[in-house]
Amino acid sequence: MHKRFVNHCTIHLTIIPDGPILIKSGKEGADPTKPDMEFVETYHAGGRSIYLPGSSLKGAIRAHAERIVRTVGRDRRDNSSSLPWANDPLNDKYDYLNNVNSASDIYKLSCFTDQMFGNTSIASRVRIEDAHPDSSQPLRIEERNGVAIDRVFGSVAVGPFNYQVCTAGEFKTKIHLKNFTLAQLGLIGLVLRDLNDGWFGLGFAKSRGLGTVEVKFNQAVVQYPGCILSEDKQQIYALGSEQKWSKTFLLGVGEFLQVEDAKLYGFAKPDHQDTPVAAQEMDLGFGVQLVWREGTVNDLFERCVRSWSQLLVGAK
């Protein structure tokens, strides 16, 4: 399915520290005036600043998505069940993908989270940009001290050491999801809800009070690049086929495929939800998009979570 581009969702969000956070740099500098553990930095907007790497965000989001799938589904492949499952990435040898050459078979045999985030055989559908500081909200960076305690003798095992934390500011980023099912987008919504609620954190020392953040949704855009609006703007038409939908329909990848093609990949069909958002033309007058503005993005996730719930209820 990476050879086609039928739908795409971009979630614009802001990550706000709800306490100290630290994404550690992989190297220790030679400057003795700097702390032992520094925040990762990059050049952005004409200067050097701290940031939240997209790889760190994606790792945390994927790990929690796997927890959710294992909780309501299974933690290993079961040919007798259609419940979604998430593998153990550290111990899975992917033997079930040996000698499988068809892209559709590889996708169908992979676990639910691998289908979204990729594995050694299929590319990821999820892309997360680096989160850079919002220049309108000043950062507050502090240094803290710590020691490692010997659990046997109760004395200092390592330290004292100092580390850098960010306690205030805002970091803006985007999450992109292409060729997605509504259940997959619903799972992303649940993960972001749990991140906002403090169920898991980001970066260093999460079990010691660091890493909790607030997630603010700025906008979400769902696009159908191979579609156009009817002349009266009331329906969405798929180019090159006779398929059409209401202008307010949120469409998963299965909606754009023939029944036979959807079965090859295991995509749900039908896979749509009605929304209060009307479709509009994309830039240059080609393609269709639905836009959820700030304050309404939860509506998008609520509708996609319905599809996620239907997937679980309908599974055997």
Side-chain angles (χ1 to χ4, degrees), residues 217-261:
F217 298 120
N218 303 320
Q219 180 177 272
V221 183
V222 174
Q223 297 172 311
Y224 315 131
C227 295
I228 58 173
L229 284 174
S230 60
E231 291 186 2
D232 61 2
K233 311 295 185 184
Q234 297 302 305
Q235 290 186 311
I236 300 170
Y237 283 91
L239 293 169
S241 75
E242 298 181 355
Q243 297 184 93
K244 60 182 179 180
W245 306 271
S246 166
K247 66 176 182 179
T248 59
F249 269 21
L250 176 63
L251 305 172
V253 61
E255 286 287 330
F256 300 91
L257 305 180
Q258 299 299 322
V259 174
E260 297 78 11
D261 292 334

Side-chain angles (χ1 to χ4, degrees), residues 7 50 71 81 179 214 248 270 315:
N7 64 357
I50 66 172
T71 300
S81 172
N179 291 345
E214 176 188 346
T248 59

Side-chain angles (χ1 to χ4, degrees), residues 22-48:
L22 168 59
I23 309 293
K24 290 197 299 181
S25 172
K27 298 180 180 179
E28 291 187 12
D31 188 345
T33 64
K34 290 191 173 183
D36 299 316
M37 302 181 191
E38 297 180 58
F39 215 110
V40 64
E41 294 183 349
T42 190
Y43 284 97
H44 177 71
R48 195 167 180 85

Side-chain angles (χ1 to χ4, degrees), residues 1 6-7 107 125 178-182 184 251-257 262 267-269 271:
M1 276 304 296
V6 297
N7 64 357
Y107 179 88
R125 294 168 186 269
K178 69 177 181 179
N179 291 345
F180 61 89
T181 68
L182 298 191
Q184 290 173 343
L251 305 172
V253 61
E255 286 287 330
F256 300 91
L257 305 180
F267 292 136
K269 188 177 178 69
D271 189 18

Side-chain angles (χ1 to χ4, degrees), residues 100-122:
V100 180
N101 298 317
S102 167
S104 59
D105 288 340
I106 292 173
Y107 179 88
K108 196 171 182 178
L109 290 172
S110 296
C111 71
F112 192 87
T113 46
D114 278 358
Q115 291 173 353
M116 296 174 61
F117 296 97
N119 57 30
T120 56
S121 299
I122 53 176

Side-chain angles (χ1 to χ4, degrees), residues 68-177:
I68 293 175
V69 174
R70 293 189 195 106
T71 300
V72 298
R74 298 182 182 275
D75 61 359
R76 61 180 61 86
R77 180 171 177 77
D78 185 350
N79 292 326
S80 64
S81 172
S82 59
L83 273 173
W85 64 289
N87 64 351
D88 179 355
L90 297 179
N91 297 308
D92 192 347
K93 305 300 182 183
Y94 291 99
D95 296 333
Y96 47 87
L97 296 182
N98 289 343
N99 303 317
V100 180
N101 298 317
S102 167
S104 59
D105 288 340
I106 292 173
Y107 179 88
K108 196 171 182 178
L109 290 172
S110 296
C111 71
F112 192 87
T113 46
D114 278 358
Q115 291 173 353
M116 296 174 61
F117 296 97
N119 57 30
T120 56
S121 299
I122 53 176
S124 173
R125 294 168 186 269
V126 180
R127 179 169 62 90
I128 304 179
E129 298 183 13
D130 292 341
H132 294 287
D134 183 350
S135 58
S136 67
Q137 301 294 327
L139 296 174
R140 183 182 301 156
I141 300 174
E142 304 174 358
E143 287 188 19
R144 296 193 174 189
N145 300 311
V147 295
I149 301 298
D150 188 305
R151 287 184 172 85
V152 176
F153 299 103
S155 58
V156 175
V158 179
F161 54 84
N162 54 349
Y163 54 94
Q164 196 175 47
V165 295
C166 177
T167 58
E170 295 187 359
F171 298 83
K172 290 191 173 182
T173 186
K174 298 176 186 176
I175 299 176
H176 303 272
L177 185 60

Side-chain angles (χ1 to χ4, degrees), residues 184-205:
Q184 290 173 343
L185 185 52
L187 180 58
I188 293 292
L190 292 174
V191 171
L192 295 177
R193 177 202 67 180
D194 292 351
L195 177 60
N196 182 67
D197 289 345
W199 288 22
F200 69 103
L202 304 174
F204 171 73

